[in-house]
Structure formats: structure tokens, C-alpha cells
Amino acid sequence: MLKKILLFYILFLCANHPATATQPDYWRSDSVKVMRLLKQASQLDSNTNYMLYFARQLRGLPYVAKTLEKNHDERLVVNLRQLDCTTYTETVLALTLCMKQKKATFDNFCHNLQQLRYKDGIVAYPNRLHYFTSWIEENKKKGLVDCIEEPRGVFTATQIVHANYMTTHVKLYPMLVKHRDWIPLIRNMEKEISGRQYKYIPKSRLNDSALLRQTIHDGDVIVILTSKRGLDTSHIGIAVWHADGLHLLNASQLRHQVVEEPKTFYQYMREHPTHTGIRVVRLR
């Protein structure tokens, strides 16, 4: 009888937690670092801006692209040794969620990271939210983030999404090269977001610090839009205000590490001709 009860319980867990069937991919040093960061944060004042705190704790880590493309089949990759702009932002968000939920454990960090990174929280390459437009929509649906679009006097431009970069540049994506049967699934993701329209702050308005201070908070996720064909976004970082204006915390490909940009965000944007403006995302 006991064996039947245990079997039923195992089947119940498998049915209700399909995404946990594959163990996360991480080094012991990653789990140790997560727990150390959470322990340090738990000793801070409860009014601490945890997004900003964790974002700054990761400064100096090397920028490395494609750290999620390491397995033949998709697994939840936890890597606090090497970051790109998306994994940096997701890591900061997952740590902050742990503090908000008052569940400072490595398992909960992994759960949060999985929820942020995958559609329906199910670990599979076609479910990974490759386009940040999809990422925003999915995490709004889950109640994890809000997309800021007010005041209208700042969000004066409209983005019309045209997404097809992944399926027209398959050779740049190792997992798609190995699994070409996934290409139609990625194409469906592209079709789902293509044609959608979103208000954004154009580059020309980013020099108005007084107005931006009413709109963008320390720790907000800054989503940089691009004019590059087939893409919706080109870079992601975290907002931080200095005395001279808005700055960006980001995993920088140019600087080869996570940095708090010394120049203002307006100056930063002016140096990148294909950056057209920004959307703003805030953890709930």
C-alpha cells in the first residue's frame, strides 16, 4: 500500500512540475554565490533597492555571449561567472524576487530564473523568450513585471515590431543548427509579436533629465530598441541615477564586463546609431 502511495505521489509531482524533470546546469560556485548574495541582502534595511544592490554586486564579471547554448538539449543554465546583457538582467531580477518573496534559497532562485526565462516556465529551447518583446509580454502575463508607458509626453514614439532575425540567421544559433525542427516553432514566436505596436521614449528625449526622473526609477530595466532589420531590441540594462543624470548598469560587450557606465545614458545612446530609443520595465 505504501509503495502505491509513493508511486502516486511521484506521478503527481511529474504531472504538475514538468519543467523540473531536468536539473539546472550550474557549478557549485554559482549556488554558493547566490546564497552569499542573498544572505548579504537579508542583512540590509528592508527599504533597500534590491535591484540596484544586486546589479552593483555583479560588476566586474566578464561579458560572455551564448552561455545558454552549451547543451545538446535545453537546460536551465545558472551562471554567475559569465554574463551577457540578458542573463545579467535576469539574474538580478531572480535574486530580487527571492528577497521580495522572503524565500532566500537557491532552489527559489532557480525557480524565479526559470519563470522569467521561459514561456509558461517550461524549460525548452522553443519556449525560451528569445525576443525581449516576448519576454516582456510573458512576464507581464505572469504578474512579475509592468511595462511603463506614462507619461505620454515622454513616450512619444511608436515601435512596430518586425521580428525574423533568428529564422533568417539560423547559423548564428548553435541550438537551431542542431535542431532544425525547432525553426518553425521559433518562426511562430516571431509571427506572434510581429505587427505589435508599443510606445517608447525616442533617443532625442533622453537628454531631459528632469522629465525622465519622473518616469524611470533606480533599478528599472531599460530595454534598448534597434533599427537593425529583424530585431526588436539590441541591448538591456538597469537604470541608475547619478547627480549628472541617468546612467546604465549593463553587461557590456564593448567593455567585456559588467559595468556601471561612467557616461550618461544620453551620451551612451548617441554613440550607437542603430539605437532608436527605449522601453522601460519595472519589477512588480
Side-chain angles (χ1 to χ4, degrees):
M1 183 65 181
L2 181 58
K3 288 184 178 180
K4 288 184 178 180
I5 293 172
L6 287 172
L7 179 59
F8 176 81
Y9 182 66
I10 292 168
L11 291 172
F12 173 82
L13 287 177
C14 292
N16 287 277
H17 301 280
T20 61
T22 302
Q23 291 297 313
D25 182 314
Y26 64 93
W27 289 11
R28 184 176 182 276
S29 62
D30 297 315
S31 61
V32 169
K33 186 165 189 175
V34 166
M35 292 308 301
R36 177 168 53 81
L37 288 169
L38 292 173
K39 182 178 180 180
Q40 290 171 349
S42 68
Q43 297 168 356
L44 301 174
D45 186 275
S46 59
N47 294 321
T48 296
N49 186 321
Y50 293 115
M51 283 290 295
L52 202 52
Y53 173 76
F54 289 124
R56 282 176 161 162
Q57 291 301 305
L58 299 177
R59 285 176 298 183
L61 288 176
Y63 175 96
V64 178
K66 299 187 185 299
T67 56
L68 304 186
E69 310 295 321
K70 58 182 293 186
N71 297 298
H72 180 73
D73 294 309
E74 188 80 354
R75 293 175 65 185
L76 176 70
V77 173
V78 178
N79 186 341
L80 278 78
R81 293 159 279 112
Q82 307 160 320
L83 298 164
D84 62 26
C85 67
T86 303
T87 58
Y88 168 61
T89 302
E90 288 179 336
T91 297
V92 171
L93 285 162
L95 288 165
T96 302
L97 281 168
C98 286
M99 298 308 298
K100 285 179 171 287
Q101 297 158 349
K102 302 187 188 309
K103 293 176 66 177
T105 68
F106 182 65
D107 283 347
N108 194 46
F109 170 81
C110 291
H111 170 78
N112 288 330
L113 190 63
Q114 185 169 315
Q115 290 300 311
L116 289 163
R117 186 172 291 167
Y118 294 98
K119 184 176 181 180
D120 300 322
I122 298 174
V123 178
Y125 185 87
N127 277 6
R128 198 198 305 167
L129 300 165
H130 301 276
Y131 289 91
F132 212 73
T133 299
S134 302
W135 191 101
I136 295 171
E137 290 300 321
E138 174 71 8
N139 286 301
K140 279 171 57 181
K141 184 177 75 174
K142 290 174 181 169
L144 297 176
V145 303
D146 289 316
C147 188
I148 308 304
E149 295 181 328
E150 298 287 347
R152 289 293 180 179
V154 184
F155 291 84
T156 57
T158 302
Q159 177 194 32
I160 303 175
V161 177
H162 299 288
N164 64 14
Y165 192 84
M166 289 184 69
T167 55
T168 55
H169 296 78
V170 171
K171 64 182 181 181
L172 299 179
Y173 299 90
M175 295 278 271
L176 279 185
V177 172
K178 295 175 187 174
H179 301 274
R180 300 191 72 87
D181 54 312
W182 291 347
I183 295 174
L185 301 175
I186 300 300
R187 188 174 292 116
N188 287 339
M189 179 185 293
E190 293 172 337
K191 288 178 179 177
E192 187 177 334
I193 60 174
S194 290
R196 295 194 180 190
Q197 299 185 28
Y198 301 98
K199 302 301 291 185
Y200 71 93
I201 305 174
K203 185 190 297 190
S204 60
R205 302 303 304 274
L206 294 173
N207 63 339
D208 190 340
S209 284
L211 197 55
L212 287 182
R213 281 185 186 273
Q214 302 172 30
T215 307
I216 302 173
H217 299 171
D218 280 336
D220 283 349
V221 177
I222 294 180
V223 183
I224 300 176
L225 309 185
T226 181
S227 60
K228 191 168 182 178
R229 187 180 180 89
L231 286 174
D232 55 341
T233 64
S234 58
H235 194 49
I236 306 151
I238 295 170
V240 55
W241 284 97
H242 291 194
D244 64 345
L246 183 64
H247 288 246
L248 186 71
L249 278 153
N250 70 123
S252 170
Q253 186 174 17
L254 292 174
R255 298 180 183 275
H256 312 295
Q257 63 181 321
V258 175
V259 297
E260 187 165 340
E261 294 289 348
K263 63 189 71 174
T264 67
F265 185 58
Y266 179 61
Q267 293 171 321
Y268 172 89
M269 289 288 283
R270 288 185 65 186
E271 294 175 2
H272 295 81
T274 60
H275 292 355
T276 57
I278 65 168
R279 296 180 68 190
V280 181
V281 174
R282 185 173 300 154
L283 191 66
R284 284 190 183 174

